[in-house]
Amino acid sequence: MGHKTRKDVIQTFQVNFFGMGLFNTFPWDSLDKELTTSKPSDILMDILQKTCLHPICLKHPPSLKYRRRFLTELIKKHEMVAAEPLDVLYEALGELMCAQEEDLCYKTYFLPTGDAVSLAENVALIAQGTTGLVTWEAALYLAEWALENTHIFKSKTVLELGSGIGLTGIVVCRSSSLTKYIFSDCHKTVLQRLKKNITNCLTNRASVSVEELHWENVSDEQLQRIQANTIIAADVVYDPDIIACLVKLLSRLLNCKVQENHPDAYIASTVRNPQTYDCFKKELERAGLRHVVMKDSVTQVFPYNRASTIEMIKIYI
């Protein structure tokens, strides 16, 4: 890893802060070096301007607890170098200490173009009986893969299963010239949040729709109406009880010819339980669906833990 410039350090702080990255992933060592080689108050002020005082933070803030902890860490760094007072740091923390925590926060992801995607998420991982109100690692991975494979979506109608709060689909819509994108989920609260995020993040919504899709009872009419050439999904293989109806739905979708061709499906999964994941692959075989593991490396764009096993497969007839 080469030497990080001051601009790199500030940019990494910004990306990690808005994505609510883990604190041990911030480049604290590089910041320490910068604090000893330049005026400490200047670099800390730069970081503050790019994070807590940034217009995105004022409009779409990360969780209150996260911002408090972040400012506390910056204040510790400031006090370690015994620099001249930086009142704005303490004022910013003081404001947050008086504020009331909310159930909702925002995570903002920066695309390679520099565009920002701000998504409303729940502070808690599980809320209202669902895990669908937060963004999971496989969705970030699938979004990164989509950024590198925009040709796969060109002029296609894309159906996403289990869209959750919408990160992957919003990234695909912002980066690809597709014909239509269909977000889908089954949980009422998730669908409400999803629609709000789409409204906030996508200006051209003419080619976008949201479907309430219950995998076990999708009608033939609904499938005919959808007419998807490409199916994608992230983190849908986590519960052995839903594998059978997921595979059955995939089988119906892939056997449904669109413009004389069978669709393909691309599924990204964080392999938390190898037995569940193996069960999914065996069920695919039993249904006569072939799959291949996509082994090409995908450039990391977003801040999240890549240490967990994320596998991407293409499923086809």
Side-chain angles (χ1 to χ4, degrees):
M1 188 83 170
H3 170 68
K4 277 181 178 284
T5 65
R6 175 168 166 164
K7 190 179 171 190
D8 290 336
V9 172
I10 292 167
Q11 189 183 9
T12 308
F13 264 85
Q14 183 182 53
V15 166
N16 280 16
F17 171 81
F18 279 112
M20 283 176 61
L22 297 172
F23 278 84
N24 62 5
T25 61
F26 280 77
W28 298 110
D29 291 347
S30 300
L31 175 60
D32 288 341
K33 283 186 191 133
E34 288 295 331
L35 290 171
T36 58
T37 57
S38 54
K39 196 175 173 188
S41 58
D42 284 356
I43 185 163
L44 289 169
M45 193 63 207
D46 282 351
I47 288 172
L48 203 55
Q49 296 282 9
K50 292 283 189 204
T51 54
C52 294
L53 302 182
H54 195 280
I56 290 175
C57 187
L58 302 179
K59 190 176 179 187
H60 298 305
S63 84
L64 190 61
K65 188 177 173 188
Y66 189 86
R67 284 176 287 146
R68 280 177 186 157
R69 192 170 159 213
F70 179 75
L71 284 170
T72 304
E73 292 295 325
L74 285 189
I75 287 168
K76 275 188 207 160
K77 292 290 177 191
H78 182 252
E79 289 173 347
M80 272 169 61
V81 290
E84 64 279 14
L86 192 57
D87 293 345
V88 67
L89 262 178
Y90 295 89
E91 284 162 13
L93 183 60
E95 269 184 46
L96 295 186
M97 287 305 179
C98 302
Q100 190 133 16
E101 183 67 273
E102 294 183 356
D103 294 337
L104 207 63
C105 65
Y106 286 87
K107 284 188 188 173
T108 297
Y109 302 97
F110 293 93
L111 302 182
T113 56
D115 285 351
V117 172
S118 295
L119 298 174
E121 295 202 354
N122 262 51
V123 173
L125 284 183
I126 298 175
Q128 300 184 54
T130 178
T131 54
L133 292 164
V134 294
T135 299
W136 296 91
E137 285 99 342
L140 290 155
Y141 184 89
L142 182 56
E144 290 167 341
W145 175 84
L147 286 167
E148 287 188 3
N149 292 278
T150 52
H151 61 281
I152 284 174
F153 305 103
K154 190 174 167 60
S155 306
K156 295 284 174 62
T157 294
V158 182
L159 167 66
E160 183 184 5
L161 301 175
S163 296
I165 57 170
L167 173 84
T168 303
I170 288 164
V171 170
V172 172
C173 291
R174 293 269 285 261
S175 59
S176 307
S177 52
L178 39 76
T179 301
K180 186 171 186 189
Y181 195 94
I182 302 146
F183 294 84
S184 75
D185 214 292
C186 65
H187 195 283
K188 287 268 192 289
T189 316
V190 174
L191 287 164
Q192 285 167 0
R193 182 71 49 77
L194 173 62
K195 286 173 184 170
K196 282 181 184 163
N197 282 334
I198 291 168
T199 302
N200 290 339
C201 297
L202 295 177
T203 45
N204 175 22
R205 292 191 291 279
S207 59
V208 166
S209 69
V210 178
E211 290 268 344
E212 184 171 342
L213 208 65
H214 295 269
W215 297 348
E216 70 282 2
N217 56 11
V218 181
S219 67
D220 290 337
E221 292 75 33
Q222 199 172 11
L223 291 188
Q224 283 303 319
R225 191 176 73 246
I226 287 168
Q227 286 275 302
N229 315 87
T230 304
I231 294 98
I232 65 171
D235 252 334
V236 289
V237 186
Y238 56 86
D239 180 352
D241 294 342
I242 60 167
I243 285 172
C245 66
L246 170 60
V247 171
K248 190 179 172 190
L249 175 58
L250 286 170
S251 181
R252 288 173 70 195
L253 285 162
L254 300 191
N255 276 296
C256 216
K257 275 193 181 178
V258 179
Q259 295 155 352
E260 297 308 304
N261 293 313
H262 289 285
D264 293 323
Y266 300 89
I267 312 271
S269 304
T270 303
V271 185
R272 295 180 186 85
N273 185 324
Q275 285 84 8
T276 303
Y277 195 59
D278 288 344
C279 171
F280 171 60
K281 288 183 170 176
K282 287 194 177 91
E283 202 67 35
L284 289 173
E285 279 172 37
R286 268 200 289 273
L289 298 176
R290 294 181 287 171
H291 74 270
V292 58
V293 177
M294 320 272 296
K295 290 202 156 103
D296 292 347
S297 65
V298 173
T299 307
Q300 184 160 4
V301 176
F302 307 119
Y304 65 103
N305 179 12
R306 271 278 191 100
S308 47
T309 306
I310 298 173
E311 187 171 278
M312 177 113 175
I313 61 173
K314 176 183 177 180
I315 305 167
Y316 57 101
I317 296 289

